[in-house]
Amino acid sequence: NMVHMGEILDQTLTQRGYRVIHCQKRHDEDFNASYDQSLATVKEYLKKYPSIAVVSDLHRDSLIDSGGTKYRPTVVIDGIETAQVMFLMGVGNETYQHPNWKENLSLAARIQKEANETYPGLMRPILVRPLRYNQYLSNGALLVELGACGNTPAEAEQAARLFGEVCATALDKIREAQE
């Protein structure tokens, strides 16, 4: 369950000194309305906490073929089977503008670079789509696919921990460069 993965990410980032606001509300009860529901939540949090720098929307990828086979992208890191992580990056389109997509992509690329250096194979390639996924609300918005529907909970938990570590390290480097 993605709320549990969010708890792991929250704990990992908090242990590294970051303040985290973890929304535990499920937005996928009605899949067709999930982005509208999460849109309202993100707007509410950004209004209440205007200093929020990074907004992470956690998902589990749906990798199912026409025969019903569920795929589980994994990598072995330090001897542990780990789900792979992927950024889904919306860049907008003519109807649904997303003027800050390059800032979001830059953040994703920095985290991806850190992950590739620290835990090779943890990250799948960034998937870019002509949509917005509510990422237009922040210059630090990320849609993160922690594993896929075929991954075990243990594989996804390990991915959440490692992803949290590389996020913290990348954010540390960004902060150091700004000082």
Side-chain angles (χ1 to χ4, degrees):
N1 134 351
M2 296 316 297
V3 172
H4 177 60
M5 298 306 133
E7 290 168 358
I8 293 170
L9 185 58
D10 177 344
Q11 291 168 1
T12 304
L13 290 167
T14 300
Q15 288 171 356
R16 292 283 302 270
Y18 285 91
R19 291 184 20 220
V20 176
I21 301 166
H22 176 211
C23 174
Q24 298 186 22
K25 179 179 179 183
R26 289 187 57 186
H27 294 100
D28 63 349
E29 298 291 334
D30 176 0
F31 178 77
N32 293 324
S34 61
Y35 281 105
D36 289 338
Q37 291 174 10
S38 65
L39 174 68
T41 300
V42 173
K43 283 182 175 181
E44 174 187 327
Y45 276 89
L46 289 172
K47 183 177 181 181
K48 187 173 182 179
Y49 306 101
S51 65
I52 289 175
V54 177
V55 176
S56 297
D57 186 2
L58 302 181
H59 294 251
R60 185 166 301 182
D61 203 357
S62 180
L63 296 175
I64 305 173
D65 69 16
S66 60
T69 301
K70 294 180 180 180
Y71 293 96
R72 52 182 280 266
T74 62
V75 61
V76 176
I77 298 175
D78 297 330
I80 301 171
E81 195 85 19
T82 304
Q84 288 184 301
V85 180
M86 180 184 75
F87 287 118
L88 180 55
M89 187 58 49
V91 297
N93 56 47
E94 287 184 23
T95 304
Y96 298 104
Q97 300 292 308
H98 183 359
N100 58 329
W101 68 268
K102 290 180 183 177
E103 287 83 359
N104 293 340
L105 181 59
S106 176
L107 175 59
R110 289 176 120 173
I111 296 169
Q112 181 113 0
K113 180 181 184 296
E114 188 64 40
N116 291 341
E117 292 171 358
T118 309
Y119 301 115
L122 176 64
M123 302 295 293
R124 292 166 49 201
I126 296 173
L127 182 59
V128 177
R129 291 283 189 240
L131 299 166
R132 295 192 302 185
Y133 303 110
N134 296 337
Q135 294 171 340
Y136 66 97
L137 297 174
S138 168
N139 286 346
L142 302 169
L143 194 158
V144 182
E145 301 278 359
L146 282 171
C149 56
N151 288 107
T152 67
E155 292 166 349
E157 289 169 356
Q158 179 67 358
R161 277 189 285 281
L162 299 180
F163 180 71
E165 285 295 325
V166 297
C167 282
T169 301
L171 293 171
D172 289 347
K173 289 179 178 180
I174 292 168
R175 184 172 37 204
E176 288 169 12
Q178 292 173 345
E179 292 176 349

PDB file of all heavy atoms in Angstrom, residues 115-141:
ATOM      1  N   ALA A 115      20.972   8.562  -7.752  1.00  0.00           N
ATOM      2  CA  ALA A 115      20.597   7.151  -7.632  1.00  0.00           C
ATOM      3  C   ALA A 115      21.479   6.267  -8.512  1.00  0.00           C
ATOM      4  O   ALA A 115      21.929   5.205  -8.081  1.00  0.00           O
ATOM      5  CB  ALA A 115      19.122   6.960  -8.001  1.00  0.00           C
ATOM      6  N   ASN A 116      21.727   6.721  -9.742  1.00  0.00           N
ATOM      7  CA  ASN A 116      22.555   5.934 -10.657  1.00  0.00           C
ATOM      8  C   ASN A 116      23.979   5.775 -10.142  1.00  0.00           C
ATOM      9  O   ASN A 116      24.609   4.737 -10.365  1.00  0.00           O
ATOM     10  CB  ASN A 116      22.547   6.550 -12.054  1.00  0.00           C
ATOM     11  CG  ASN A 116      21.203   6.412 -12.733  1.00  0.00           C
ATOM     12  OD1 ASN A 116      20.375   5.585 -12.351  1.00  0.00           O
ATOM     13  ND2 ASN A 116      20.965   7.244 -13.731  1.00  0.00           N
ATOM     14  N   GLU A 117      24.479   6.798  -9.456  1.00  0.00           N
ATOM     15  CA  GLU A 117      25.832   6.727  -8.911  1.00  0.00           C
ATOM     16  C   GLU A 117      25.893   5.890  -7.634  1.00  0.00           C
ATOM     17  O   GLU A 117      26.861   5.181  -7.399  1.00  0.00           O
ATOM     18  CB  GLU A 117      26.358   8.143  -8.625  1.00  0.00           C
ATOM     19  CG  GLU A 117      26.601   8.956  -9.869  1.00  0.00           C
ATOM     20  CD  GLU A 117      26.904  10.415  -9.590  1.00  0.00           C
ATOM     21  OE1 GLU A 117      26.902  10.840  -8.402  1.00  0.00           O
ATOM     22  OE2 GLU A 117      27.140  11.157 -10.571  1.00  0.00           O
ATOM     23  N   THR A 118      24.864   5.975  -6.817  1.00  0.00           N
ATOM     24  CA  THR A 118      24.863   5.319  -5.516  1.00  0.00           C
ATOM     25  C   THR A 118      24.334   3.885  -5.587  1.00  0.00           C
ATOM     26  O   THR A 118      24.913   2.979  -4.989  1.00  0.00           O
ATOM     27  CB  THR A 118      24.012   6.125  -4.510  1.00  0.00           C
ATOM     28  OG1 THR A 118      24.443   7.477  -4.532  1.00  0.00           O
ATOM     29  CG2 THR A 118      24.150   5.574  -3.099  1.00  0.00           C
ATOM     30  N   TYR A 119      23.236   3.698  -6.282  1.00  0.00           N
ATOM     31  CA  TYR A 119      22.579   2.393  -6.392  1.00  0.00           C
ATOM     32  C   TYR A 119      22.243   2.114  -7.862  1.00  0.00           C
ATOM     33  O   TYR A 119      21.087   2.248  -8.280  1.00  0.00           O
ATOM     34  CB  TYR A 119      21.294   2.354  -5.559  1.00  0.00           C
ATOM     35  CG  TYR A 119      21.496   2.627  -4.096  1.00  0.00           C
ATOM     36  CD1 TYR A 119      20.948   3.751  -3.495  1.00  0.00           C
ATOM     37  CD2 TYR A 119      22.242   1.757  -3.304  1.00  0.00           C
ATOM     38  CE1 TYR A 119      21.122   4.004  -2.136  1.00  0.00           C
ATOM     39  CE2 TYR A 119      22.436   2.000  -1.947  1.00  0.00           C
ATOM     40  CZ  TYR A 119      21.870   3.127  -1.375  1.00  0.00           C
ATOM     41  OH  TYR A 119      22.049   3.375  -0.037  1.00  0.00           O
ATOM     42  N   PRO A 120      23.256   1.760  -8.659  1.00  0.00           N
ATOM     43  CA  PRO A 120      23.007   1.513 -10.085  1.00  0.00           C
ATOM     44  C   PRO A 120      21.863   0.509 -10.294  1.00  0.00           C
ATOM     45  O   PRO A 120      21.811  -0.521  -9.619  1.00  0.00           O
ATOM     46  CB  PRO A 120      24.337   0.944 -10.584  1.00  0.00           C
ATOM     47  CG  PRO A 120      25.363   1.447  -9.611  1.00  0.00           C
ATOM     48  CD  PRO A 120      24.653   1.511  -8.286  1.00  0.00           C
ATOM     49  N   GLY A 121      20.955   0.880 -11.186  1.00  0.00           N
ATOM     50  CA  GLY A 121      19.828   0.015 -11.511  1.00  0.00           C
ATOM     51  C   GLY A 121      18.583   0.284 -10.704  1.00  0.00           C
ATOM     52  O   GLY A 121      17.513  -0.233 -11.025  1.00  0.00           O
ATOM     53  N   LEU A 122      18.680   1.096  -9.645  1.00  0.00           N
ATOM     54  CA  LEU A 122      17.491   1.391  -8.839  1.00  0.00           C
ATOM     55  C   LEU A 122      16.438   2.105  -9.681  1.00  0.00           C
ATOM     56  O   LEU A 122      15.248   1.815  -9.574  1.00  0.00           O
ATOM     57  CB  LEU A 122      17.856   2.259  -7.629  1.00  0.00           C
ATOM     58  CG  LEU A 122      16.679   2.728  -6.761  1.00  0.00           C
ATOM     59  CD1 LEU A 122      15.960   1.549  -6.112  1.00  0.00           C
ATOM     60  CD2 LEU A 122      17.153   3.718  -5.700  1.00  0.00           C
ATOM     61  N   MET A 123      16.888   3.026 -10.528  1.00  0.00           N
ATOM     62  CA  MET A 123      15.947   3.849 -11.300  1.00  0.00           C
ATOM     63  C   MET A 123      15.757   3.317 -12.710  1.00  0.00           C
ATOM     64  O   MET A 123      16.719   2.990 -13.399  1.00  0.00           O
ATOM     65  CB  MET A 123      16.455   5.291 -11.381  1.00  0.00           C
ATOM     66  CG  MET A 123      16.679   5.979 -10.031  1.00  0.00           C
ATOM     67  SD  MET A 123      15.199   6.233  -9.043  1.00  0.00           S
ATOM     68  CE  MET A 123      14.310   7.428 -10.039  1.00  0.00           C
ATOM     69  N   ARG A 124      14.508   3.268 -13.132  1.00  0.00           N
ATOM     70  CA  ARG A 124      14.188   3.050 -14.540  1.00  0.00           C
ATOM     71  C   ARG A 124      14.320   4.413 -15.232  1.00  0.00           C
ATOM     72  O   ARG A 124      14.332   5.449 -14.568  1.00  0.00           O
ATOM     73  CB  ARG A 124      12.758   2.516 -14.677  1.00  0.00           C
ATOM     74  CG  ARG A 124      12.619   1.107 -14.101  1.00  0.00           C
ATOM     75  CD  ARG A 124      11.176   0.659 -13.912  1.00  0.00           C
ATOM     76  NE  ARG A 124      10.343   0.878 -15.065  1.00  0.00           N
ATOM     77  CZ  ARG A 124       9.011   0.953 -15.012  1.00  0.00           C
ATOM     78  NH1 ARG A 124       8.370   0.855 -13.872  1.00  0.00           N
ATOM     79  NH2 ARG A 124       8.316   1.156 -16.100  1.00  0.00           N
ATOM     80  N   PRO A 125      14.390   4.435 -16.552  1.00  0.00           N
ATOM     81  CA  PRO A 125      14.460   5.735 -17.244  1.00  0.00           C
ATOM     82  C   PRO A 125      13.246   6.612 -16.927  1.00  0.00           C
ATOM     83  O   PRO A 125      12.142   6.108 -16.702  1.00  0.00           O
ATOM     84  CB  PRO A 125      14.475   5.342 -18.724  1.00  0.00           C
ATOM     85  CG  PRO A 125      15.006   3.946 -18.739  1.00  0.00           C
ATOM     86  CD  PRO A 125      14.500   3.304 -17.471  1.00  0.00           C
ATOM     87  N   ILE A 126      13.468   7.913 -16.914  1.00  0.00           N
ATOM     88  CA  ILE A 126      12.374   8.869 -16.692  1.00  0.00           C
ATOM     89  C   ILE A 126      11.411   8.766 -17.872  1.00  0.00           C
ATOM     90  O   ILE A 126      11.812   8.795 -19.025  1.00  0.00           O
ATOM     91  CB  ILE A 126      12.914  10.307 -16.568  1.00  0.00           C
ATOM     92  CG1 ILE A 126      13.811  10.430 -15.334  1.00  0.00           C
ATOM     93  CG2 ILE A 126      11.758  11.318 -16.509  1.00  0.00           C
ATOM     94  CD1 ILE A 126      14.537  11.764 -15.220  1.00  0.00           C
ATOM     95  N   LEU A 127      10.123   8.641 -17.566  1.00  0.00           N
ATOM     96  CA  LEU A 127       9.088   8.557 -18.595  1.00  0.00           C
ATOM     97  C   LEU A 127       8.428   9.933 -18.717  1.00  0.00           C
ATOM     98  O   LEU A 127       7.897  10.465 -17.737  1.00  0.00           O
ATOM     99  CB  LEU A 127       8.049   7.506 -18.223  1.00  0.00           C
ATOM    100  CG  LEU A 127       6.926   7.254 -19.213  1.00  0.00           C
ATOM    101  CD1 LEU A 127       7.476   6.814 -20.570  1.00  0.00           C
ATOM    102  CD2 LEU A 127       5.970   6.195 -18.659  1.00  0.00           C
ATOM    103  N   VAL A 128       8.514  10.527 -19.893  1.00  0.00           N
ATOM    104  CA  VAL A 128       7.979  11.867 -20.141  1.00  0.00           C
ATOM    105  C   VAL A 128       6.679  11.742 -20.933  1.00  0.00           C
ATOM    106  O   VAL A 128       6.625  11.029 -21.942  1.00  0.00           O
ATOM    107  CB  VAL A 128       9.008  12.724 -20.917  1.00  0.00           C
ATOM    108  CG1 VAL A 128       8.440  14.089 -21.242  1.00  0.00           C
ATOM    109  CG2 VAL A 128      10.299  12.848 -20.117  1.00  0.00           C
ATOM    110  N   ARG A 129       5.640  12.419 -20.463  1.00  0.00           N
ATOM    111  CA  ARG A 129       4.331  12.371 -21.107  1.00  0.00           C
ATOM    112  C   ARG A 129       3.783  13.785 -21.294  1.00  0.00           C
ATOM    113  O   ARG A 129       4.034  14.658 -20.468  1.00  0.00           O
ATOM    114  CB  ARG A 129       3.339  11.580 -20.249  1.00  0.00           C
ATOM    115  CG  ARG A 129       3.640  10.107 -20.176  1.00  0.00           C
ATOM    116  CD  ARG A 129       3.198   9.453 -21.475  1.00  0.00           C
ATOM    117  NE  ARG A 129       3.263   8.019 -21.382  1.00  0.00           N
ATOM    118  CZ  ARG A 129       4.020   7.282 -22.175  1.00  0.00           C
ATOM    119  NH1 ARG A 129       4.783   7.844 -23.081  1.00  0.00           N
ATOM    120  NH2 ARG A 129       4.016   5.986 -22.069  1.00  0.00           N
ATOM    121  N   PRO A 130       2.972  14.023 -22.343  1.00  0.00           N
ATOM    122  CA  PRO A 130       2.388  15.356 -22.585  1.00  0.00           C
ATOM    123  C   PRO A 130       1.150  15.613 -21.716  1.00  0.00           C
ATOM    124  O   PRO A 130       0.104  16.013 -22.206  1.00  0.00           O
ATOM    125  CB  PRO A 130       2.048  15.315 -24.073  1.00  0.00           C
ATOM    126  CG  PRO A 130       1.718  13.873 -24.321  1.00  0.00           C
ATOM    127  CD  PRO A 130       2.654  13.087 -23.431  1.00  0.00           C
ATOM    128  N   LEU A 131       1.272  15.380 -20.424  1.00  0.00           N
ATOM    129  CA  LEU A 131       0.208  15.614 -19.460  1.00  0.00           C
ATOM    130  C   LEU A 131       0.782  16.450 -18.317  1.00  0.00           C
ATOM    131  O   LEU A 131       1.947  16.842 -18.374  1.00  0.00           O
ATOM    132  CB  LEU A 131      -0.337  14.274 -18.951  1.00  0.00           C
ATOM    133  CG  LEU A 131      -0.944  13.388 -20.052  1.00  0.00           C
ATOM    134  CD1 LEU A 131      -1.149  11.972 -19.538  1.00  0.00           C
ATOM    135  CD2 LEU A 131      -2.245  13.970 -20.558  1.00  0.00           C
ATOM    136  N   ARG A 132      -0.007  16.691 -17.270  1.00  0.00           N
ATOM    137  CA  ARG A 132       0.511  17.516 -16.173  1.00  0.00           C
ATOM    138  C   ARG A 132       0.628  16.765 -14.851  1.00  0.00           C
ATOM    139  O   ARG A 132       1.463  17.100 -14.034  1.00  0.00           O
ATOM    140  CB  ARG A 132      -0.384  18.737 -15.946  1.00  0.00           C
ATOM    141  CG  ARG A 132      -0.403  19.689 -17.098  1.00  0.00           C
ATOM    142  CD  ARG A 132      -1.049  20.998 -16.755  1.00  0.00           C
ATOM    143  NE  ARG A 132      -2.429  20.887 -16.286  1.00  0.00           N
ATOM    144  CZ  ARG A 132      -3.196  21.919 -16.021  1.00  0.00           C
ATOM    145  NH1 ARG A 132      -2.728  23.137 -16.164  1.00  0.00           N
ATOM    146  NH2 ARG A 132      -4.420  21.767 -15.609  1.00  0.00           N
ATOM    147  N   TYR A 133      -0.253  15.807 -14.596  1.00  0.00           N
ATOM    148  CA  TYR A 133      -0.237  15.034 -13.355  1.00  0.00           C
ATOM    149  C   TYR A 133      -0.175  15.907 -12.102  1.00  0.00           C
ATOM    150  O   TYR A 133       0.468  15.549 -11.128  1.00  0.00           O
ATOM    151  CB  TYR A 133       0.950  14.068 -13.342  1.00  0.00           C
ATOM    152  CG  TYR A 133       0.992  13.117 -14.500  1.00  0.00           C
ATOM    153  CD1 TYR A 133       1.964  13.249 -15.481  1.00  0.00           C
ATOM    154  CD2 TYR A 133       0.066  12.095 -14.618  1.00  0.00           C
ATOM    155  CE1 TYR A 133       2.017  12.382 -16.544  1.00  0.00           C
ATOM    156  CE2 TYR A 133       0.105  11.216 -15.691  1.00  0.00           C
ATOM    157  CZ  TYR A 133       1.084  11.361 -16.648  1.00  0.00           C
ATOM    158  OH  TYR A 133       1.128  10.500 -17.711  1.00  0.00           O
ATOM    159  N   ASN A 134      -0.763  17.066 -12.126  1.00  0.00           N
ATOM    160  CA  ASN A 134      -0.745  18.018 -11.009  1.00  0.00           C
ATOM    161  C   ASN A 134       0.644  18.566 -10.717  1.00  0.00           C
ATOM    162  O   ASN A 134       0.839  19.270  -9.731  1.00  0.00           O
ATOM    163  CB  ASN A 134      -1.348  17.404  -9.732  1.00  0.00           C
ATOM    164  CG  ASN A 134      -2.809  17.055  -9.889  1.00  0.00           C
ATOM    165  OD1 ASN A 134      -3.501  17.609 -10.729  1.00  0.00           O
ATOM    166  ND2 ASN A 134      -3.280  16.119  -9.089  1.00  0.00           N
ATOM    167  N   GLN A 135       1.617  18.268 -11.545  1.00  0.00           N
ATOM    168  CA  GLN A 135       2.976  18.730 -11.319  1.00  0.00           C
ATOM    169  C   GLN A 135       3.138  20.216 -11.600  1.00  0.00           C
ATOM    170  O   GLN A 135       4.131  20.812 -11.176  1.00  0.00           O
ATOM    171  CB  GLN A 135       3.962  17.922 -12.173  1.00  0.00           C
ATOM    172  CG  GLN A 135       4.037  16.467 -11.754  1.00  0.00           C
ATOM    173  CD  GLN A 135       4.846  15.629 -12.720  1.00  0.00           C
ATOM    174  OE1 GLN A 135       5.053  15.997 -13.880  1.00  0.00           O
ATOM    175  NE2 GLN A 135       5.298  14.493 -12.252  1.00  0.00           N
ATOM    176  N   TYR A 136       2.178  20.820 -12.251  1.00  0.00           N
ATOM    177  CA  TYR A 136       2.258  22.250 -12.552  1.00  0.00           C
ATOM    178  C   TYR A 136       2.074  23.110 -11.306  1.00  0.00           C
ATOM    179  O   TYR A 136       2.330  24.310 -11.327  1.00  0.00           O
ATOM    180  CB  TYR A 136       1.220  22.644 -13.613  1.00  0.00           C
ATOM    181  CG  TYR A 136      -0.210  22.513 -13.152  1.00  0.00           C
ATOM    182  CD1 TYR A 136      -0.899  23.618 -12.674  1.00  0.00           C
ATOM    183  CD2 TYR A 136      -0.871  21.287 -13.188  1.00  0.00           C
ATOM    184  CE1 TYR A 136      -2.211  23.513 -12.237  1.00  0.00           C
ATOM    185  CE2 TYR A 136      -2.172  21.169 -12.750  1.00  0.00           C
ATOM    186  CZ  TYR A 136      -2.832  22.274 -12.278  1.00  0.00           C
ATOM    187  OH  TYR A 136      -4.128  22.156 -11.840  1.00  0.00           O
ATOM    188  N   LEU A 137       1.685  22.505 -10.201  1.00  0.00           N
ATOM    189  CA  LEU A 137       1.438  23.248  -8.970  1.00  0.00           C
ATOM    190  C   LEU A 137       2.710  23.670  -8.250  1.00  0.00           C
ATOM    191  O   LEU A 137       2.680  24.536  -7.388  1.00  0.00           O
ATOM    192  CB  LEU A 137       0.579  22.409  -8.016  1.00  0.00           C
ATOM    193  CG  LEU A 137      -0.822  22.065  -8.509  1.00  0.00           C
ATOM    194  CD1 LEU A 137      -1.497  21.104  -7.538  1.00  0.00           C
ATOM    195  CD2 LEU A 137      -1.653  23.332  -8.689  1.00  0.00           C
ATOM    196  N   SER A 138       3.838  23.036  -8.577  1.00  0.00           N
ATOM    197  CA  SER A 138       5.071  23.308  -7.845  1.00  0.00           C
ATOM    198  C   SER A 138       6.283  23.112  -8.757  1.00  0.00           C
ATOM    199  O   SER A 138       6.282  22.251  -9.628  1.00  0.00           O
ATOM    200  CB  SER A 138       5.176  22.342  -6.660  1.00  0.00           C
ATOM    201  OG  SER A 138       6.452  22.381  -6.083  1.00  0.00           O
ATOM    202  N   ASN A 139       7.327  23.914  -8.514  1.00  0.00           N
ATOM    203  CA  ASN A 139       8.585  23.734  -9.248  1.00  0.00           C
ATOM    204  C   ASN A 139       9.397  22.568  -8.700  1.00  0.00           C
ATOM    205  O   ASN A 139      10.489  22.295  -9.173  1.00  0.00           O
ATOM    206  CB  ASN A 139       9.427  25.007  -9.189  1.00  0.00           C
ATOM    207  CG  ASN A 139       8.877  26.097 -10.066  1.00  0.00           C
ATOM    208  OD1 ASN A 139       8.019  25.872 -10.918  1.00  0.00           O
ATOM    209  ND2 ASN A 139       9.354  27.302  -9.867  1.00  0.00           N
ATOM    210  N   GLY A 140       8.860  21.882  -7.707  1.00  0.00           N
ATOM    211  CA  GLY A 140       9.529  20.723  -7.135  1.00  0.00           C
ATOM    212  C   GLY A 140       8.583  19.537  -7.062  1.00  0.00           C
ATOM    213  O   GLY A 140       8.577  18.800  -6.083  1.00  0.00           O
ATOM    214  N   ALA A 141       7.764  19.353  -8.086  1.00  0.00           N
ATOM    215  CA  ALA A 141       6.768  18.279  -8.079  1.00  0.00           C
ATOM    216  C   ALA A 141       7.289  17.044  -8.798  1.00  0.00           C
ATOM    217  O   ALA A 141       7.816  17.134  -9.911  1.00  0.00           O
ATOM    218  CB  ALA A 141       5.475  18.752  -8.733  1.00  0.00           C
TER     219      ALA A 141
END
